[in-house]
Amino acid sequence: MTHTTRRTSSHWRSKLGFIVAAAGSAVGLGNIWKFPYIAGESGGGMFVLVYLLCLVLLGVPIMVAEVLIGRTTQQSPVKAFAELSSRNSFWMGVGLLGVITGFVILSYYSVVGGWGIYYFCLSVLHTVGGTEGWPNGADAEAYQKIFEQLLSSGRLNVFFHTVFMLLTTGIVIQGVRRGIERGAEWLMGMFFLILVLLLVYAGSLATFNEGVSFVFGFHAERFTAASLLEALGHSFFTLSVGMGAILTYGSYLQENDDIVGTSLIIALLDSLVALGACLILFPITFLQGLEPTQGPGLVFVNIPFALGRLSFGSVLSAVFFFLLVCAALTSAISLLEVTTAYLIDTFGWQRKHAALTCSLAIFLLGIPSALSGGSDFFGTRMTELLGKNWFELFDYLASNWFLPLGGLGISLFVGWFLEASLSRTEFRRGSNIGKVKGVYQIWVFLLRYLVPFAIVAMMLHALELI
Ligand code: TRP
């Protein structure tokens, strides 16, 4: 099979370009905002263990499969599946599901990114001017109130959702090299520096050990069938796999770039950041006598509260939320890039038009999420009817169902459908680890048997069918 390289101009400038951009996509709100709070809600230890197992045994093989499809075809998801399956509509549907998932995830992701910008602004305003209403490390309730006020204010949510989408679009319009690669290099560099600083701070707290034992101890009390699916879904969400984002980034790789090694590095970085975020957040939570089960507000309440007590608290808090927004942006651009590349590749649109159209559609789709905390219709009424508001429903469907379904499709495709000779050659090319004896076989085994079996079993279990 021969594959045409159509987009010679759209390649990463350097090998590091892909790692940085893909790690930028992986590391995001999923690591800092979502992981600590869902781990907290599910009781810590056991959830973390299952999540790590899913990440290594299911997420990483799918990531390798995605990068491989991307690098081989040099195409965005739908076209890549079309090319490799001779336009089989089922497999093209798997690609399309990815594009739809991208729309759904970014629509609410941007709302949370907006919360980050809001908190950044609050911290900066307090640092330079000392605003009213930012309670200098007073009681935790005061911070809880700020978060609740934000949640219930449709206007604030929509405004910051807009700002976040504008920033994301601005980067994606610039294209692969100038926009995505350069943006990610800068932002990720700063990100790691700040994370280490905060870890050192958390390490100095009296409750650090308590935090460590919450994360790594074996706590299974609150772990349910739903937690199992949540851990699976989140392991995909955090790696950005299951919808073709990593596939799209992989399509900007050169023929000889290492697929296996880079995927492992990205997964390692990603889990280090998620665990790091927990090791920062839980010691702080316990120190203040707060609960780890407080939900989406965990980061937004506990961090400003803890930092507010320090003398340079609001400076640190500004730095922290800057970091959070940076991480969110490098992830959001990968989501927007999938939908944009779809329009460019499938319909021959210009990048600018494609990015603007997608971003407008996603922005509109995000408005009900932005209103979920305050609106009667998207919030209270939906919760009464479905047990979840619009925002929660989107997050639940996209992470717990669409991503695992997409991952299932990708694993079946590469495991069973793709010619073995092609996948073997591509797996090994440019990769030292890929050439080690047995590694390819293990990967194929995981994709063929373990990944599909585990995903289907966990879904059935969540539906209470097994
Ligand atoms: N991985 C990112 C995070 O943890 C979110 C994200 C970016 C994502 N691109 C994705 C999730 C693609 C699923 C699919 O915050």
Side-chain angles (χ1 to χ4, degrees):
M1 214 184 288
T2 53
H3 300 285
T4 39
T5 307
R6 294 187 188 86
R7 288 187 313 215
T8 38
S9 62
S10 304
H11 282 116
W12 306 110
R13 221 169 352 120
S14 64
K15 276 212 169 84
L16 208 62
F18 172 71
I19 299 193
V20 173
S25 163
V27 175
L29 294 172
N31 306 58
I32 315 169
W33 161 72
K34 195 171 169 194
F35 182 64
Y37 99 73
I38 56 178
E41 279 180 337
S42 292
M46 175 79 172
F47 180 86
V48 177
L49 182 69
V50 176
Y51 152 86
L52 285 175
L53 283 175
C54 289
L55 191 123
V56 174
L57 295 174
L58 317 177
V60 172
I62 297 178
M63 181 182 248
V64 173
E66 276 200 34
V67 184
L68 187 140
I69 300 177
R71 195 190 65 176
T72 308
T73 58
Q74 304 274 308
Q75 301 282 356
S76 57
V78 179
K79 273 205 133 180
F81 278 106
E83 181 171 325
L84 291 176
S85 71
S86 319
R87 304 197 63 76
N88 175 310
S89 48
F90 177 78
W91 297 119
M92 286 167 74
V94 173
L96 200 60
L97 173 70
V99 177
I100 295 169
T101 311
F103 270 97
V104 174
I105 295 183
L106 186 52
S107 76
Y108 67 83
Y109 200 85
S110 163
V111 173
V112 184
W115 297 348
I117 302 180
Y118 174 72
Y119 270 83
F120 171 71
C121 294
L122 280 186
S123 320
V124 170
L125 283 177
H126 184 68
T127 308
V128 291
T131 41
E132 295 291 315
W134 191 235
N136 259 329
D139 54 328
E141 266 170 40
Y143 288 92
Q144 185 75 40
K145 222 159 148 200
I146 293 183
F147 184 66
E148 277 161 16
Q149 275 165 357
L150 167 66
L151 271 195
S152 61
S153 159
R155 221 186 284 165
L156 278 179
N157 272 281
V158 173
F159 178 75
F160 286 101
H161 166 53
T162 315
V163 176
F164 189 84
M165 277 312 292
L166 284 176
L167 289 174
T168 309
T169 317
I171 303 179
V172 172
I173 282 185
Q174 312 272 324
V176 174
R177 289 188 181 196
R178 272 201 311 161
I180 301 181
E181 187 165 350
R182 211 178 42 182
E185 272 171 10
W186 271 93
L187 299 177
M188 289 305 290
M190 273 185 281
F191 178 86
F192 276 98
L193 193 76
I194 297 168
L195 195 73
V196 170
L197 277 179
L198 281 174
L199 256 179
V200 172
Y201 163 70
S204 70
L205 300 176
T207 44
F208 187 67
N209 288 345
E210 205 181 325
V212 172
S213 102
F214 183 75
V215 179
F216 294 110
F218 193 79
H219 307 285
E221 308 85 31
R222 299 176 63 95
F223 195 83
T224 60
S227 319
L228 196 64
L229 188 71
E230 181 92 1
L232 170 77
H234 189 68
S235 72
F236 288 12
F237 185 91
T238 191
L239 288 177
S240 303
V241 302
M243 58 146 290
I246 291 294
L247 190 160
T248 308
Y249 274 13
S251 76
Y252 306 135
L253 280 174
Q254 312 274 3
E255 242 186 7
N256 283 323
D257 290 338
D258 177 358
I259 293 179
V260 189
T262 43
S263 299
L264 289 172
I265 294 178
I266 293 160
L268 185 71
L269 282 177
D270 186 67
S271 2
L272 285 180
V273 175
L275 295 175
C278 284
L279 292 182
I280 293 169
L281 270 171
F282 289 121
I284 291 176
T285 305
F286 295 134
L287 187 73
Q288 315 300 346
L290 299 170
E291 288 300 321
T293 48
Q294 58 188 263
L298 188 65
V299 180
F300 294 102
V301 174
N302 293 13
I303 290 281
F305 175 47
L307 296 181
R309 311 192 133 192
L310 306 174
S311 33
F312 291 102
S314 45
V315 179
L316 270 181
S317 170
V319 169
F320 175 83
F321 285 108
F322 180 71
L323 163 153
L324 182 119
V325 174
C326 291
L329 273 175
T330 54
S331 301
I333 55 183
S334 77
L335 289 158
L336 185 58
E337 178 63 15
V338 175
T339 55
T340 304
Y342 171 67
L343 290 187
I344 297 177
D345 282 359
T346 312
F347 302 106
W349 286 33
Q350 279 181 359
R351 170 166 287 273
K352 200 164 135 198
H353 294 158
L356 283 174
T357 308
C358 291
S359 135
L360 184 67
I362 292 168
F363 168 72
L364 293 175
L365 191 65
I367 288 183
S369 289
L371 299 179
S372 286
S375 123
D376 210 28
F377 184 73
F378 296 116
T380 336
R381 284 269 294 285
M382 269 188 75
T383 312
E384 275 165 19
L385 275 172
L386 303 167
K388 289 182 172 38
N389 63 31
W390 177 288
F391 173 99
E392 291 161 347
L393 186 71
F394 262 36
D395 185 27
Y396 172 74
L397 285 178
S399 345
N400 294 12
W401 294 95
F402 294 180
L403 289 179
L405 273 178
L408 178 65
I410 293 164
S411 68
L412 292 177
F413 181 76
V414 175
W416 294 97
F417 192 88
L418 202 63
E419 280 168 50
S421 59
L422 175 77
S423 79
R424 193 182 308 114
T425 319
E426 293 295 331
F427 184 87
R428 291 186 174 157
R429 183 184 299 145
S431 170
N432 289 331
I433 306 181
K435 289 190 191 98
V436 174
K437 216 167 163 240
V439 173
Y440 171 75
Q441 280 77 5
I442 295 177
W443 175 68
V444 171
F445 172 81
L446 292 174
L447 283 183
R448 282 192 155 196
Y449 303 103
L450 188 76
V451 175
F453 176 78
I455 293 177
V456 172
M458 286 190 207
M459 285 182 166
L460 293 178
H461 190 53
L463 292 172
E464 297 182 357
L465 294 173
I466 54 172

